[in-house]
Amino acid sequence: KIDENIITKENCNQWQKNIGYVPQDIFLTDSDIIENIAFGIKDRDIDMKKVIKASKIANLHKFIIKDLPNGYQTTIGERGIRLSGGQRQRIGIARALYNSPTILILDEATSSLDNLTEKAVMKAVNNLSNEITIIMVAHRLSTVKNCDLIYLFENGEILCKGNFEELKLSYKKFRDMAST
């Protein structure tokens, strides 16, 4: 049951379309940027405005138009071999945002990004936070600094919860982690 609506076999697919998911390891095909962002969408049904909007949010658009020889039509190679880990991850983030989800799940989605790229991507994600619900799994505290609510887990149990400043002030283990 979600928002007083019972989820059934008939409406499950429709409800799942509200969720964007970014795993730690992104699956990419040996095709172009467009097909990898609009993954699973037939070529004739791909909306380039949505591809570009999602890539801008994922901090990928400038790289695509300035650095890739064929822009969005550049073939990226099997598993994205021609891209860095951070660029592959940003394609995964753009893919998750392509259908304008109401819930975005980031499962260690920024772990392969360098600090500068992570800051740019997190700034874009934070700008979305007034529009969608974001659930984020992260080990780096800098990734969750702007979250409204943080749960600190250890061995599968919740140690504490609160926003970044509350946890930093009140929980020694969190404070120690935040200072490193």
Side-chain angles (χ1 to χ4, degrees):
K1 195 173 187 183
I2 298 169
D3 291 335
E4 303 305 317
N5 297 312
I6 296 173
I7 304 302
T8 64
K9 285 182 181 180
E10 291 76 30
N11 67 10
C12 185
N13 236 6
Q14 187 60 39
W15 188 82
Q16 288 173 335
K17 289 180 181 179
N18 291 312
I19 299 173
Y21 174 68
V22 185
Q24 185 172 3
D25 297 311
I26 303 298
F27 171 78
L28 298 173
T29 63
D30 187 14
S31 57
D32 64 23
I33 299 281
I34 297 167
E35 289 179 30
N36 275 285
I37 290 175
F39 189 72
I41 309 290
K42 293 179 183 173
D43 287 349
R44 68 177 182 269
D45 296 329
I46 293 174
D47 182 337
M48 269 311 288
K49 287 181 183 176
K50 288 170 64 173
V51 169
I52 291 169
K53 178 182 177 187
S55 67
K56 284 180 178 178
I57 294 169
N59 194 28
L60 188 62
H61 179 71
K62 287 180 185 174
F63 161 74
I64 292 169
I65 60 171
K66 289 184 178 184
D67 296 341
L68 295 181
N70 297 316
Y72 281 92
Q73 283 85 29
T74 301
T75 300
I76 61 171
E78 189 174 336
R79 294 184 313 275
I81 196 77
R82 296 186 183 120
L83 302 173
S84 71
Q87 291 159 346
R88 289 190 294 268
Q89 203 66 18
R90 287 182 281 162
I91 288 175
I93 292 168
R95 177 187 294 166
L97 295 171
Y98 176 81
N99 285 315
S100 302
T102 57
I103 299 170
L104 180 62
I105 300 171
L106 302 169
D107 185 2
E108 286 288 334
T110 62
S111 64
S112 66
L113 303 179
D114 61 73
N115 287 336
L116 268 175
T117 304
E118 180 191 27
K119 282 182 182 179
V121 169
M122 289 312 300
K123 181 179 178 187
V125 168
N126 289 331
N127 289 338
L128 286 172
S129 66
N130 292 328
E131 301 169 33
I132 65 175
T133 299
I134 300 170
I135 300 168
M136 191 178 310
V137 176
H139 286 92
R140 265 191 252 165
L141 291 179
S142 60
T143 305
V144 297
K145 192 170 190 168
N146 294 319
C147 291
D148 296 327
L149 184 59
I150 301 167
Y151 290 88
L152 181 62
F153 285 83
E154 187 172 84
N155 298 322
E157 294 192 23
I158 297 173
L159 292 180
C160 58
K161 69 178 184 177
N163 67 35
F164 189 85
E165 290 305 317
E166 291 168 346
L167 293 176
K168 193 173 168 185
L169 289 173
S170 66
Y171 193 71
K172 182 182 177 352
K173 185 165 189 153
F174 188 87
R175 191 171 47 246
D176 293 343
M177 290 169 59
S179 67
T180 57

